[in-house]
């Protein structure tokens, strides 16, 4: 039997010994964040991985995130800590479906949320994150946008760019879609002094004091003079903010806002990976990797 602390100490020892960089998405449990080299959102982690000196990278997150790391760092060995951890939104569209959509909308620029598979990225024009989507769509010369796969994030951008025409595919994040206007009314009634901070993947009716990415929400909460916050994103963020801001109070917008795929990864999974007894090495066809990278490179250029 090992305690959490003993397990963490052993992970910290082994990752140094085996030249492993551990990345943990912000939706992972706090005990995993404590052993990570970098924490943050999906694209930020990929950038950190590319800069990291280690030859091996362990992603504590979901499959498309590990794929993005491999796309940007082909020379490194990239592992997904739990091979079952996928992203339902990333799997809502396949290459055949998107190819047909492009054929019927040839004059539209295809904007792909980063929550997509590497195969899908190969036939998209530009990739976006929740924090860069608005800026990049504004920078696209074309005034016709086919936004995939998240309708809520796309609609949020559409409201702020009324001069452009948008088309959407019916898709979105099942976790964020669990939050409703009813949840907002209930939370506001229970915590009238609290600021409501929500992710743009939520339903647009959820009127918030701040709408932004996971890292944006955490930054806002840390820097705000307010003392109470209702958090409209994956509930692990409530816990992380409680640790980081013990003088403030944080409440989940909905107790049901839990990403089951993110919760698949346990501290023992991380331990098994650094021991070389678990996880899955991510391997991409080089042609797929190069084409998918072009989509991400365009994002970097347009997001500057």
């Amino acid at each position: 039997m090992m305690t959490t602390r003993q397990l963490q100490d052993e992970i910290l020892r082994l990752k140094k010994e085996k030249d492993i960089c551990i990345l943990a998405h912000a939706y992972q449990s706090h005990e995993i964040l404590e052993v990570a080299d970098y924490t943050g959102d999906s694209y930020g982690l990929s950038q950190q991985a590319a800069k990291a000196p280690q030859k091996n990278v362990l992603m504590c997150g979901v499959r498309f995130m590990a794929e993005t790391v491999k796309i940007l760092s082909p020379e490194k060995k990239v592992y997904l800590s739990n091979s079952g951890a996928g992203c339902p939104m990333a799997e809502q569209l396949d290459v055949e479906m998107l190819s047909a959509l492009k054929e019927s909308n040839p004059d539209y620029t295809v904007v792909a949320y980063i929550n997509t598979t590497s195969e899908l990225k190969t036939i998209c024009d530009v990739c976006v994150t929740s924090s860069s989507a608005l800026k990049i769509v504004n920078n696209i010369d074309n005034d016709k946008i086919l936004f995939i796969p998240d309708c809520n994030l796309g609609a949020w951008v559409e409201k702020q760019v009324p001069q452009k025409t948008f088309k959407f595919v019916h898709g979105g994040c099942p976790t964020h879609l669990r939050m409703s206007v009813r949840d907002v009314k209930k939370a506001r009634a229970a915590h009238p002094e609290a600021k409501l901070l929500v992710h743009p993947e939520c339903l647009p009716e959820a009127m918030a004091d701040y709408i932004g990415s996971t890292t944006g929400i955490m930054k806002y909460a840390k820097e705000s003079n307010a003392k109470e916050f209702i958090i409209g994103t994956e509930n692990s963020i409530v816990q992380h903010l409680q640790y980081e801001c013990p003088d403030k109070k944080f409440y989940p917008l909905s107790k049901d806002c839990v990403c089951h795929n993110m919760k698949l990864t346990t501290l023992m999974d991380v331990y098994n990976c650094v021991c070389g007894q678990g996880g899955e090495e991510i391997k991409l066809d080089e042609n797929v990797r190069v084409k998918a990278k072009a989509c991400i490179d365009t994002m970097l250029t347009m997001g500057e």
Side-chain angles (χ1 to χ4, degrees), residues 56-94:
N56 305 292
V57 179
L58 174 58
M59 170 59 78
C60 302
V62 297
R63 185 169 295 275
F64 85 82
M65 298 176 185
E67 286 183 355
T68 308
V69 171
K70 187 65 180 177
I71 288 166
L72 296 180
S73 303
E75 75 288 356
K76 296 184 179 184
K77 285 200 168 187
V78 179
Y79 299 88
L80 179 61
S81 49
N82 188 309
S83 63
C87 172
M89 179 160 58
E91 295 153 13
Q92 284 166 350
L93 264 177
D94 60 27

Side-chain angles (χ1 to χ4, degrees), residues 98-113:
L98 183 55
S99 296
L101 280 166
K102 285 180 69 172
E103 212 170 291
S104 55
N105 297 279
D107 50 346
Y108 278 71
T109 296
V110 181
V111 177
Y113 193 16

Side-chain angles (χ1 to χ4, degrees), residues 1-2 14-15 22 102 139 145 184 188 251 258 268 294:
M1 180 181 167
M2 293 175 83
L14 284 164
K15 75 172 184 178
I22 298 179
K102 285 180 69 172
N139 285 342
I145 307 294
V184 173
R188 288 234 192 243
Y251 316 105
V258 176
M268 186 55 80

Side-chain angles (χ1 to χ4, degrees), residues 187-253:
R188 288 234 192 243
H191 312 289
E193 300 300 312
K195 297 274 189 188
L196 174 62
L197 317 181
V198 306
H199 196 283
E201 287 176 23
C202 297
L203 287 167
E205 293 90 348
M207 299 310 295
D209 296 293
Y210 173 83
I211 299 176
S213 65
T214 305
T215 46
I217 286 172
M218 294 184 79
K219 185 173 186 286
Y220 183 97
K222 288 178 204 172
E223 295 176 357
S224 172
N225 292 326
K227 292 293 179 185
E228 294 183 65
F229 303 88
I230 299 160
I231 304 299
T233 190
E234 215 281 338
N235 284 345
S236 53
I237 300 303
V238 174
Q239 184 192 28
H240 302 329
L241 284 168
Q242 287 170 337
Y243 276 98
E244 294 195 37
C245 309
D247 57 323
K248 296 178 179 180
K249 290 186 177 177
F250 299 93
Y251 316 105
L253 175 55

Side-chain angles (χ1 to χ4, degrees), residues 2-14:
M2 293 175 83
T3 65
T4 301
R5 185 67 257 172
Q6 287 169 331
L7 205 53
Q8 288 175 318
D9 287 342
E10 193 60 10
I11 289 167
L12 293 171
R13 183 186 71 79
L14 284 164

Side-chain angles (χ1 to χ4, degrees), residues 157-217:
V157 174
E158 181 184 34
K159 278 183 184 174
Q160 297 171 82
V161 193
Q163 69 274 21
K164 299 200 176 192
T165 303
F166 285 74
K167 281 191 178 181
F168 304 107
V169 182
H170 185 67
C173 170
T175 300
H176 285 100
L177 285 170
R178 290 190 194 111
M179 292 180 286
S180 65
V181 175
R182 185 181 171 190
D183 289 323
V184 173
K185 290 176 180 174
K186 191 176 174 183
R188 288 234 192 243
H191 312 289
E193 300 300 312
K195 297 274 189 188
L196 174 62
L197 317 181
V198 306
H199 196 283
E201 287 176 23
C202 297
L203 287 167
E205 293 90 348
M207 299 310 295
D209 296 293
Y210 173 83
I211 299 176
S213 65
T214 305
T215 46
I217 286 172

